[in-house]
Amino acid sequence: MSTIKEVCQLAGVSTATVSRTLKNPNMVNVKTRERIFAAIEKAGYRPNVMASSVKTGKSNSLVVLVPNLSNPFFLRIIQGIEKAAQENGYSVLLGDTQGEPHREHEYAGMVLSNRADGLIHLDHSFPFSDNDALLAEKVPMVSVCERIVSDKQYPVIELDNYSACRALAKHLTSYGHKRFGIIAGQNESQIFRDRLGGIKSVLNEEGIDFDDSMVVGNEYSYESGSAGAKALLAGKVRPTAIFCFNDDIAIGAIHEIKKHGLKVPDDISVVGFDNIKVSAYMDPPLTTIDQPAYEMGRKAVEVVLQQIRKKPLTRNREIVQFRIIERASSGAVSS
Amino acid sequence: MSTIKEVCQLAGVSTATVSRTLKNPNMVNVKTRERIFAAIEKAGYRPNVMASSVKTGKSNSLVVLVPNLSNPFFLRIIQGIEKAAQENGYSVLLGDTQGEPHREHEYAGMVLSNRADGLIHLDHSFPFSDNDALLAEKVPMVSVCERIVSDKQYPVIELDNYSACRALAKHLTSYGHKRFGIIAGQNESQIFRDRLGGIKSVLNEEGIDFDDSMVVGNEYSYESGSAGAKALLAGKVRPTAIFCFNDDIAIGAIHEIKKHGLKVPDDISVVGFDNIKVSAYMDPPLTTIDQPAYEMGRKAVEVVLQQIRKKPLTRNREIVQFRIIERASSGAVSS
């Protein structure tokens, strides 16, 4: 096997530059890096980065855990994470946990064994265990979206779901709506409690009754939106407006409502949550809450790097701003 | 720092079981694994997997390079990869290359330096360089979707794009369409050439003229679909049917066509490609080509593992089957 010296000769650079390129390619200019990679390949040199990582104890990579890669909202967060990580010389590895705790532990194991330096959770779709609490003490980590209610909390970047749902509810009551349905994603999460609480607080202020049997749905998916709308339309009292707890649900709900020969928003207003890109292209375009997903990703990297660098966190919970996006899927109650 | 012995005592298992759990958690039963992770954390043991990887030279992980994470078609492939990798005791790391060659080389560097064992490309959105060809000789890799035309080819799992586009073209000509537009994604790729060739071969057989000025578009996105439709509608001869080279493009195109007061399919038929999930929920639901994305992901793992295990490949190109999904976005030419 050839040596690093041969690579240096071929590429016309110092051993320090070759080492730097292997350890942290982002820090080396593109042309030089390409020349070095070509030289490594030509020489047949197999650098053992694992051996050097044993010395430094740093991998310069972050693991991002995603519960559901098919939700485009998460992808925008990931783009923000990628960008911020790159600026800081870190690479990003995505792990699809499929909502399974043991897969999350596998990835946490990568941090414990120095193959990654920190963890970023996008949502946390299972109960927080004592084991997780212990992990949170050992492993630099941050959660985006979902606040874990526990003594051993780790930092979170999240939207003010309560206020966002208040804004949506006010938008709909201002149009004269009084009969509401809700199609939720998960029923056990803090997000669910915050959103339901926000809606109910407005209805309460307006003196509008709300029956909990009008809350349906258990998954963030088109199918669940479609099934949820079907259930609400089969009920005794038909809602004039439906809150959907993400845009995928809203897309499924609108599809189902149209299949019943009803019009959106003329017969039923529908609002979503997240402002994924396709929402603007729906017929009608979707009224929704915009979450600054890209910015949330950037902030997550900031917070996890503070932990990796052992700098004290200024706060454990960072609230980002929402915007209500009013499009054509919501309107006045038909008389 | 505590030792592996303490972990064994706490968890009540052998050192071999602890090692196995750290190296390959999927191979250990969930309860045992959880107990061991809890013991590791309680003892404050920091196993150095990098050190043991130096010995074995295996990381038991695969890197999947994704050019554009916001395309849901890729996510279905990734789910197939995840599943097959898990069954084989491998973990999957996703790297978002954002279509930049240097980011691909960074990830290839992970394989060269033993931090990963193989690479799976989903699409390859830049020209194949000599450097890439050299990489392909050193690094176990496979490409899904995009065939690289080069002497130093690496294996590919792909759809027969030519035949799929022939099927779409026959579907549309059978409805009496004679004036066509195409909104493409990339114009320089083999996928583009295969798809255009398939369409033209049918039009040629049917004696239908096709003018290359009717090919527009340069990105797989809603925006590009919308802009492409706008350009086609502004032309001298309005097409009665538009081929869109993915479903995102078709969604943007339908949105734009409706904005012009035209109806799909009454005025213009629109067909997509990929059969992403939201396509069935569009208004009208989209006629498209189903690619067996999940299966393609599984096959990619099979092929890259064959290379890692130094088993000869039976073939360098694996063609998967398409299905044409006829929905309401295509129909007869209005008289």
Side-chain angles (χ1 to χ4, degrees):
Chain A
M1 185 173 276
S2 63
T3 68
I4 196 167
K5 291 256 182 266
E6 287 174 55
V7 175
C8 296
Q9 246 171 6
L10 278 166
V13 297
S14 67
T15 51
T17 306
V18 174
S19 298
R20 196 161 57 244
T21 304
L22 290 168
K23 242 168 69 185
N24 208 336
N26 288 322
M27 296 305 197
V28 181
N29 118 2
V30 181
K31 277 197 163 172
T32 311
R33 182 168 59 206
E34 294 300 306
R35 207 165 66 235
I36 292 168
F37 278 127
I40 287 171
E41 286 152 28
K42 196 163 179 200
Y45 174 57
R46 300 264 303 176
N48 201 324
V49 174
M50 288 223 166
S52 74
S53 291
V54 170
K55 270 189 289 177
T56 67
K58 284 283 168 219
S59 67
N60 283 318
S61 62
L62 303 174
V63 176
V64 180
L65 298 183
V66 194
N68 173 10
L69 261 174
S70 63
N71 186 340
F73 169 64
F74 290 127
L75 302 176
R76 187 96 188 111
I77 299 177
I78 292 167
Q79 285 164 357
I81 290 174
E82 285 267 353
K83 182 73 179 143
Q86 218 185 344
E87 287 168 9
N88 285 280
Y90 276 76
S91 60
V92 170
L93 304 168
L94 301 184
D96 183 354
T97 61
Q98 295 161 12
E100 292 175 20
H102 78 92
R103 305 202 72 185
E104 175 165 350
H105 284 144
E106 280 170 45
Y107 288 109
M110 289 186 65
V111 181
L112 286 172
S113 60
N114 296 331
R115 281 181 294 172
D117 299 340
L119 274 191
I120 299 174
H121 292 268
L122 306 190
D123 198 11
H124 192 107
S125 47
F126 42 86
F128 194 71
S129 69
D130 287 349
N131 209 1
D132 292 321
L134 280 164
L135 257 189
E137 285 181 355
K138 305 270 178 201
V139 173
M141 59 168 128
V142 58
S143 173
V144 185
C145 301
E146 180 69 75
R147 177 161 27 114
I148 308 305
V149 180
S150 155
D151 293 343
K152 310 245 173 88
Q153 215 172 321
Y154 54 91
V156 61
I157 319 289
E158 64 172 344
L159 197 81
D160 184 348
N161 283 287
Y162 183 88
S163 300
C165 275
R166 276 189 61 88
L168 282 175
K170 281 188 174 175
H171 166 73
L172 290 169
T173 56
S174 78
Y175 271 132
H177 292 278
K178 289 191 164 59
R179 297 200 309 274
F180 294 94
I182 293 176
I183 312 179
Q186 294 167 286
N187 300 331
E188 296 302 320
S189 67
Q190 189 57 34
I191 285 182
F192 172 76
R193 289 183 288 271
D194 289 349
R195 291 186 183 174
L196 187 62
I199 293 167
K200 282 188 171 175
S201 72
V202 170
L203 302 191
N204 197 35
E205 286 163 22
E206 305 273 342
I208 298 169
D209 282 334
F210 181 79
D211 181 347
D212 276 345
S213 71
M214 296 301 277
V215 182
V216 298
N218 56 10
E219 205 183 72
Y220 290 107
S221 68
Y222 306 123
E223 291 88 343
S224 170
S226 178
K230 203 170 178 175
L232 289 172
L233 292 177
K236 262 181 266 173
V237 182
R238 198 170 83 196
T240 64
I242 299 179
F243 294 93
C244 299
F245 278 7
N246 83 354
D247 290 350
D248 284 359
I249 293 174
I251 289 168
I254 291 174
H255 184 75
E256 186 68 26
I257 291 167
K258 286 180 173 179
K259 264 173 52 182
H260 284 72
L262 299 168
K263 285 187 176 160
V264 177
D266 301 7
D267 298 307
I268 302 183
S269 286
V270 175
V271 299
F273 209 102
D274 289 351
N275 195 26
I276 60 172
K277 230 171 166 186
V278 80
S279 299
Y281 291 89
M282 297 311 294
D283 183 7
L286 205 56
T287 293
T288 188
I289 290 289
D290 182 72
Q291 299 206 49
Y294 185 84
E295 211 39 49
M296 291 163 92
R298 291 191 62 91
K299 274 187 202 290
V301 171
E302 229 172 76
V303 170
V304 84
L305 288 183
Q306 268 180 294
Q307 295 174 66
I308 290 170
R309 292 166 182 162
K310 315 251 184 239
K311 288 185 190 160
L313 293 175
T314 46
R315 55 177 164 274
N316 233 8
R317 191 178 166 208
E318 180 108 29
I319 312 287
V320 296
Q321 289 306 308
F322 67 87
R323 277 187 312 144
I324 178 164
I325 310 288
E326 299 186 19
R327 298 201 188 99
S329 71
S330 54
V333 177
S334 56
S335 49
Chain B
M1 183 174 277
S2 62
T3 67
I4 196 165
K5 291 257 183 267
E6 287 175 55
V7 175
C8 296
Q9 245 169 8
L10 278 166
V13 296
S14 67
T15 51
T17 306
V18 174
S19 297
R20 197 162 56 244
T21 305
L22 290 169
K23 241 168 66 184
N24 210 336
N26 287 322
M27 296 305 196
V28 181
N29 116 3
V30 180
K31 276 196 165 173
T32 311
R33 182 168 59 208
E34 293 299 308
R35 206 166 66 235
I36 291 168
F37 279 127
I40 287 170
E41 286 151 29
K42 196 164 178 197
Y45 175 56
R46 301 266 301 176
N48 201 326
V49 174
M50 288 223 166
S52 74
S53 292
V54 169
K55 269 188 288 175
T56 67
K58 284 282 169 219
S59 67
N60 283 318
S61 61
L62 302 175
V63 176
V64 180
L65 298 183
V66 194
N68 173 10
L69 260 174
S70 63
N71 186 341
F73 169 64
F74 290 127
L75 302 177
R76 187 95 187 112
I77 300 178
I78 292 167
Q79 284 164 358
I81 290 174
E82 285 267 354
K83 182 73 179 142
Q86 218 184 343
E87 286 169 9
N88 285 280
Y90 276 76
S91 61
V92 170
L93 303 168
L94 301 185
D96 183 355
T97 61
Q98 296 162 12
E100 293 175 20
H102 77 92
R103 305 202 73 185
E104 175 165 350
H105 284 143
E106 280 169 44
Y107 288 109
M110 289 186 64
V111 182
L112 286 172
S113 60
N114 296 331
R115 281 181 294 171
D117 299 339
L119 274 191
I120 299 174
H121 292 268
L122 306 190
D123 198 9
H124 192 107
S125 47
F126 43 86
F128 194 71
S129 68
D130 287 350
N131 210 0
D132 292 321
L134 280 164
L135 257 189
E137 286 182 353
K138 305 272 178 199
V139 173
M141 58 169 129
V142 59
S143 174
V144 185
C145 301
E146 179 69 76
R147 176 162 28 114
I148 308 304
V149 180
S150 156
D151 292 344
K152 310 246 173 89
Q153 215 173 320
Y154 54 90
V156 61
I157 318 288
E158 65 173 343
L159 197 80
D160 184 348
N161 283 286
Y162 183 89
S163 300
C165 274
R166 276 188 62 87
L168 281 175
K170 281 188 174 174
H171 166 72
L172 290 169
T173 56
S174 78
Y175 271 132
H177 291 278
K178 290 190 163 59
R179 297 199 309 273
F180 294 95
I182 293 176
I183 311 179
Q186 293 169 284
N187 301 329
E188 296 301 320
S189 67
Q190 189 58 32
I191 285 183
F192 172 76
R193 289 184 288 271
D194 289 349
R195 291 187 183 174
L196 187 62
I199 294 167
K200 282 187 171 176
S201 71
V202 170
L203 302 192
N204 196 35
E205 286 163 23
E206 306 273 342
I208 298 170
D209 281 334
F210 180 79
D211 180 347
D212 277 345
S213 71
M214 296 302 278
V215 182
V216 299
N218 55 12
E219 206 184 71
Y220 290 107
S221 68
Y222 307 122
E223 292 87 343
S224 171
S226 178
K230 203 171 179 175
L232 289 172
L233 293 176
K236 262 181 265 172
V237 182
R238 199 171 80 196
T240 63
I242 300 179
F243 295 92
C244 299
F245 278 7
N246 84 354
D247 290 350
D248 283 359
I249 293 175
I251 289 168
I254 290 174
H255 184 75
E256 186 67 27
I257 291 166
K258 286 180 173 179
K259 264 174 51 182
H260 283 72
L262 298 169
K263 285 186 176 161
V264 177
D266 301 7
D267 297 307
I268 302 183
S269 286
V270 175
V271 300
F273 209 100
D274 288 352
N275 194 26
I276 60 173
K277 229 170 167 187
V278 79
S279 299
Y281 292 89
M282 298 310 293
D283 183 8
L286 204 56
T287 294
T288 189
I289 290 289
D290 183 73
Q291 299 206 48
Y294 186 84
E295 210 41 49
M296 290 163 91
R298 291 191 62 92
K299 275 186 201 291
V301 171
E302 228 173 75
V303 170
V304 85
L305 288 183
Q306 268 181 293
Q307 294 174 67
I308 290 170
R309 293 166 182 163
K310 315 249 183 241
K311 288 185 190 158
L313 293 174
T314 46
R315 55 177 163 272
N316 233 8
R317 191 178 165 208
E318 179 108 29
I319 311 287
V320 296
Q321 289 306 308
F322 67 88
R323 278 187 311 144
I324 178 164
I325 310 288
E326 299 186 20
R327 299 201 189 100
S329 71
S330 55
V333 177
S334 56
S335 50

PDB file of all heavy atoms in Angstrom, chain B residues 31 38 51 83 95 118 126 130 144 148 154 199 230 241 260 275 296 307-308 315:
ATOM      1  N   LYS B  31     -34.602  -6.296  23.824  1.00  0.00           N
ATOM      2  CA  LYS B  31     -34.542  -6.176  25.283  1.00  0.00           C
ATOM      3  C   LYS B  31     -33.112  -6.182  25.788  1.00  0.00           C
ATOM      4  O   LYS B  31     -32.718  -5.367  26.618  1.00  0.00           O
ATOM      5  CB  LYS B  31     -35.312  -7.337  25.931  1.00  0.00           C
ATOM      6  CG  LYS B  31     -36.798  -7.059  26.037  1.00  0.00           C
ATOM      7  CD  LYS B  31     -37.418  -8.034  27.020  1.00  0.00           C
ATOM      8  CE  LYS B  31     -38.801  -7.570  27.450  1.00  0.00           C
ATOM      9  NZ  LYS B  31     -39.472  -8.594  28.279  1.00  0.00           N
ATOM     10  N   ALA B  38     -28.452   0.834  28.511  1.00  0.00           N
ATOM     11  CA  ALA B  38     -28.683   1.443  29.821  1.00  0.00           C
ATOM     12  C   ALA B  38     -27.435   1.267  30.697  1.00  0.00           C
ATOM     13  O   ALA B  38     -27.000   2.202  31.388  1.00  0.00           O
ATOM     14  CB  ALA B  38     -29.909   0.826  30.489  1.00  0.00           C
ATOM     15  N   ALA B  51     -11.749   2.528  17.139  1.00  0.00           N
ATOM     16  CA  ALA B  51     -10.571   1.688  17.336  1.00  0.00           C
ATOM     17  C   ALA B  51     -10.843   0.266  16.858  1.00  0.00           C
ATOM     18  O   ALA B  51     -10.016  -0.334  16.179  1.00  0.00           O
ATOM     19  CB  ALA B  51     -10.167   1.695  18.802  1.00  0.00           C
ATOM     20  N   LYS B  83     -34.652  -0.747   4.439  1.00  0.00           N
ATOM     21  CA  LYS B  83     -35.183  -2.052   4.811  1.00  0.00           C
ATOM     22  C   LYS B  83     -34.190  -3.167   4.475  1.00  0.00           C
ATOM     23  O   LYS B  83     -33.873  -4.008   5.319  1.00  0.00           O
ATOM     24  CB  LYS B  83     -36.517  -2.268   4.070  1.00  0.00           C
ATOM     25  CG  LYS B  83     -37.219  -3.556   4.380  1.00  0.00           C
ATOM     26  CD  LYS B  83     -37.837  -3.549   5.770  1.00  0.00           C
ATOM     27  CE  LYS B  83     -38.578  -4.865   6.047  1.00  0.00           C
ATOM     28  NZ  LYS B  83     -38.422  -5.307   7.428  1.00  0.00           N
ATOM     29  N   GLY B  95     -26.636  11.263   2.600  1.00  0.00           N
ATOM     30  CA  GLY B  95     -25.893  12.493   2.369  1.00  0.00           C
ATOM     31  C   GLY B  95     -26.575  13.281   1.265  1.00  0.00           C
ATOM     32  O   GLY B  95     -26.826  12.743   0.192  1.00  0.00           O
ATOM     33  N   GLY B 118     -19.837   1.308   1.420  1.00  0.00           N
ATOM     34  CA  GLY B 118     -20.272   1.400   0.034  1.00  0.00           C
ATOM     35  C   GLY B 118     -21.137   2.625  -0.192  1.00  0.00           C
ATOM     36  O   GLY B 118     -21.624   3.238   0.755  1.00  0.00           O
ATOM     37  N   PHE B 126     -24.534  15.474 -12.368  1.00  0.00           N
ATOM     38  CA  PHE B 126     -23.441  16.250 -12.941  1.00  0.00           C
ATOM     39  C   PHE B 126     -22.638  15.355 -13.872  1.00  0.00           C
ATOM     40  O   PHE B 126     -22.732  14.134 -13.793  1.00  0.00           O
ATOM     41  CB  PHE B 126     -22.548  16.808 -11.833  1.00  0.00           C
ATOM     42  CG  PHE B 126     -22.260  15.830 -10.748  1.00  0.00           C
ATOM     43  CD1 PHE B 126     -21.205  14.940 -10.860  1.00  0.00           C
ATOM     44  CD2 PHE B 126     -23.074  15.761  -9.624  1.00  0.00           C
ATOM     45  CE1 PHE B 126     -20.947  14.017  -9.870  1.00  0.00           C
ATOM     46  CE2 PHE B 126     -22.828  14.828  -8.634  1.00  0.00           C
ATOM     47  CZ  PHE B 126     -21.762  13.954  -8.754  1.00  0.00           C
ATOM     48  N   ASP B 130     -13.326  11.819 -15.164  1.00  0.00           N
ATOM     49  CA  ASP B 130     -12.309  10.765 -15.053  1.00  0.00           C
ATOM     50  C   ASP B 130     -12.111  10.401 -13.599  1.00  0.00           C
ATOM     51  O   ASP B 130     -11.886   9.255 -13.234  1.00  0.00           O
ATOM     52  CB  ASP B 130     -10.974  11.272 -15.623  1.00  0.00           C
ATOM     53  CG  ASP B 130     -11.045  11.338 -17.141  1.00  0.00           C
ATOM     54  OD1 ASP B 130     -12.023  10.820 -17.708  1.00  0.00           O
ATOM     55  OD2 ASP B 130     -10.132  11.926 -17.730  1.00  0.00           O
ATOM     56  N   VAL B 144     -28.760   4.397  -8.828  1.00  0.00           N
ATOM     57  CA  VAL B 144     -30.169   4.101  -9.049  1.00  0.00           C
ATOM     58  C   VAL B 144     -30.718   5.198  -9.949  1.00  0.00           C
ATOM     59  O   VAL B 144     -30.468   6.372  -9.699  1.00  0.00           O
ATOM     60  CB  VAL B 144     -30.960   4.058  -7.726  1.00  0.00           C
ATOM     61  CG1 VAL B 144     -32.402   3.633  -7.974  1.00  0.00           C
ATOM     62  CG2 VAL B 144     -30.299   3.114  -6.743  1.00  0.00           C
ATOM     63  N   ILE B 148     -24.810   6.012 -16.264  1.00  0.00           N
ATOM     64  CA  ILE B 148     -23.665   6.820 -16.657  1.00  0.00           C
ATOM     65  C   ILE B 148     -23.087   6.215 -17.927  1.00  0.00           C
ATOM     66  O   ILE B 148     -22.703   5.043 -17.938  1.00  0.00           O
ATOM     67  CB  ILE B 148     -22.584   6.798 -15.561  1.00  0.00           C
ATOM     68  CG1 ILE B 148     -23.175   7.163 -14.201  1.00  0.00           C
ATOM     69  CG2 ILE B 148     -21.428   7.722 -15.926  1.00  0.00           C
ATOM     70  CD1 ILE B 148     -23.877   8.483 -14.159  1.00  0.00           C
ATOM     71  N   TYR B 154     -20.250   2.000 -13.698  1.00  0.00           N
ATOM     72  CA  TYR B 154     -20.559   1.203 -12.511  1.00  0.00           C
ATOM     73  C   TYR B 154     -22.015   0.752 -12.582  1.00  0.00           C
ATOM     74  O   TYR B 154     -22.775   1.259 -13.399  1.00  0.00           O
ATOM     75  CB  TYR B 154     -20.178   1.919 -11.211  1.00  0.00           C
ATOM     76  CG  TYR B 154     -20.705   3.297 -10.976  1.00  0.00           C
ATOM     77  CD1 TYR B 154     -21.919   3.484 -10.333  1.00  0.00           C
ATOM     78  CD2 TYR B 154     -19.975   4.418 -11.336  1.00  0.00           C
ATOM     79  CE1 TYR B 154     -22.394   4.749 -10.066  1.00  0.00           C
ATOM     80  CE2 TYR B 154     -20.438   5.695 -11.078  1.00  0.00           C
ATOM     81  CZ  TYR B 154     -21.655   5.853 -10.452  1.00  0.00           C
ATOM     82  OH  TYR B 154     -22.111   7.100 -10.189  1.00  0.00           O
ATOM     83  N   ILE B 199     -40.805   8.906 -26.876  1.00  0.00           N
ATOM     84  CA  ILE B 199     -41.962   9.679 -27.362  1.00  0.00           C
ATOM     85  C   ILE B 199     -41.889   9.854 -28.880  1.00  0.00           C
ATOM     86  O   ILE B 199     -42.842   9.584 -29.611  1.00  0.00           O
ATOM     87  CB  ILE B 199     -42.019  11.068 -26.673  1.00  0.00           C
ATOM     88  CG1 ILE B 199     -42.308  10.912 -25.174  1.00  0.00           C
ATOM     89  CG2 ILE B 199     -43.068  11.963 -27.340  1.00  0.00           C
ATOM     90  CD1 ILE B 199     -42.074  12.166 -24.352  1.00  0.00           C
ATOM     91  N   LYS B 230     -46.640  27.804 -19.088  1.00  0.00           N
ATOM     92  CA  LYS B 230     -46.841  29.192 -19.527  1.00  0.00           C
ATOM     93  C   LYS B 230     -46.196  29.403 -20.899  1.00  0.00           C
ATOM     94  O   LYS B 230     -46.798  29.987 -21.803  1.00  0.00           O
ATOM     95  CB  LYS B 230     -46.203  30.131 -18.496  1.00  0.00           C
ATOM     96  CG  LYS B 230     -46.776  31.519 -18.494  1.00  0.00           C
ATOM     97  CD  LYS B 230     -46.240  32.296 -17.302  1.00  0.00           C
ATOM     98  CE  LYS B 230     -46.802  33.709 -17.313  1.00  0.00           C
ATOM     99  NZ  LYS B 230     -46.392  34.448 -16.098  1.00  0.00           N
ATOM    100  N   ALA B 241     -51.832  18.047 -25.554  1.00  0.00           N
ATOM    101  CA  ALA B 241     -51.333  17.138 -24.514  1.00  0.00           C
ATOM    102  C   ALA B 241     -49.900  17.500 -24.160  1.00  0.00           C
ATOM    103  O   ALA B 241     -49.106  17.842 -25.040  1.00  0.00           O
ATOM    104  CB  ALA B 241     -51.407  15.693 -24.985  1.00  0.00           C
ATOM    105  N   HIS B 260     -55.003  29.856 -16.599  1.00  0.00           N
ATOM    106  CA  HIS B 260     -55.346  30.420 -17.911  1.00  0.00           C
ATOM    107  C   HIS B 260     -56.808  30.162 -18.273  1.00  0.00           C
ATOM    108  O   HIS B 260     -57.211  30.380 -19.414  1.00  0.00           O
ATOM    109  CB  HIS B 260     -54.440  29.828 -19.008  1.00  0.00           C
ATOM    110  CG  HIS B 260     -53.064  30.420 -19.019  1.00  0.00           C
ATOM    111  ND1 HIS B 260     -52.125  30.146 -18.045  1.00  0.00           N
ATOM    112  CD2 HIS B 260     -52.466  31.300 -19.871  1.00  0.00           C
ATOM    113  CE1 HIS B 260     -51.007  30.805 -18.306  1.00  0.00           C
ATOM    114  NE2 HIS B 260     -51.186  31.515 -19.415  1.00  0.00           N
ATOM    115  N   ASN B 275     -45.227   8.616 -10.290  1.00  0.00           N
ATOM    116  CA  ASN B 275     -46.318   8.210  -9.411  1.00  0.00           C
ATOM    117  C   ASN B 275     -45.998   8.453  -7.939  1.00  0.00           C
ATOM    118  O   ASN B 275     -46.047   7.538  -7.113  1.00  0.00           O
ATOM    119  CB  ASN B 275     -46.719   6.738  -9.642  1.00  0.00           C
ATOM    120  CG  ASN B 275     -48.060   6.398  -8.996  1.00  0.00           C
ATOM    121  OD1 ASN B 275     -48.896   7.275  -8.802  1.00  0.00           O
ATOM    122  ND2 ASN B 275     -48.251   5.144  -8.639  1.00  0.00           N
ATOM    123  N   MET B 296     -36.457  -0.767  -6.244  1.00  0.00           N
ATOM    124  CA  MET B 296     -35.181  -0.293  -6.783  1.00  0.00           C
ATOM    125  C   MET B 296     -34.182  -0.071  -5.650  1.00  0.00           C
ATOM    126  O   MET B 296     -32.993  -0.369  -5.773  1.00  0.00           O
ATOM    127  CB  MET B 296     -35.396   1.004  -7.572  1.00  0.00           C
ATOM    128  CG  MET B 296     -36.167   0.778  -8.882  1.00  0.00           C
ATOM    129  SD  MET B 296     -36.865   2.321  -9.578  1.00  0.00           S
ATOM    130  CE  MET B 296     -35.516   2.829 -10.652  1.00  0.00           C
ATOM    131  N   GLN B 307     -20.663  -6.272  -4.218  1.00  0.00           N
ATOM    132  CA  GLN B 307     -19.341  -5.684  -4.451  1.00  0.00           C
ATOM    133  C   GLN B 307     -18.511  -5.680  -3.174  1.00  0.00           C
ATOM    134  O   GLN B 307     -17.323  -5.984  -3.187  1.00  0.00           O
ATOM    135  CB  GLN B 307     -19.480  -4.254  -4.966  1.00  0.00           C
ATOM    136  CG  GLN B 307     -20.114  -4.144  -6.331  1.00  0.00           C
ATOM    137  CD  GLN B 307     -20.340  -2.690  -6.712  1.00  0.00           C
ATOM    138  OE1 GLN B 307     -19.400  -1.936  -6.916  1.00  0.00           O
ATOM    139  NE2 GLN B 307     -21.589  -2.289  -6.775  1.00  0.00           N
ATOM    140  N   ILE B 308     -19.160  -5.291  -2.055  1.00  0.00           N
ATOM    141  CA  ILE B 308     -18.443  -5.246  -0.775  1.00  0.00           C
ATOM    142  C   ILE B 308     -17.911  -6.635  -0.424  1.00  0.00           C
ATOM    143  O   ILE B 308     -16.795  -6.792   0.053  1.00  0.00           O
ATOM    144  CB  ILE B 308     -19.376  -4.722   0.344  1.00  0.00           C
ATOM    145  CG1 ILE B 308     -19.668  -3.232   0.118  1.00  0.00           C
ATOM    146  CG2 ILE B 308     -18.772  -4.944   1.726  1.00  0.00           C
ATOM    147  CD1 ILE B 308     -20.752  -2.661   1.014  1.00  0.00           C
ATOM    148  N   ARG B 315     -24.781  -8.978 -13.655  1.00  0.00           N
ATOM    149  CA  ARG B 315     -24.927  -7.999 -14.748  1.00  0.00           C
ATOM    150  C   ARG B 315     -24.727  -6.600 -14.192  1.00  0.00           C
ATOM    151  O   ARG B 315     -24.858  -6.354 -13.003  1.00  0.00           O
ATOM    152  CB  ARG B 315     -26.275  -8.138 -15.438  1.00  0.00           C
ATOM    153  CG  ARG B 315     -27.463  -8.043 -14.480  1.00  0.00           C
ATOM    154  CD  ARG B 315     -28.796  -8.117 -15.225  1.00  0.00           C
ATOM    155  NE  ARG B 315     -29.850  -8.437 -14.272  1.00  0.00           N
ATOM    156  CZ  ARG B 315     -30.204  -9.674 -13.945  1.00  0.00           C
ATOM    157  NH1 ARG B 315     -29.602 -10.708 -14.495  1.00  0.00           N
ATOM    158  NH2 ARG B 315     -31.159  -9.881 -13.063  1.00  0.00           N
TER     159      ARG B 315
END
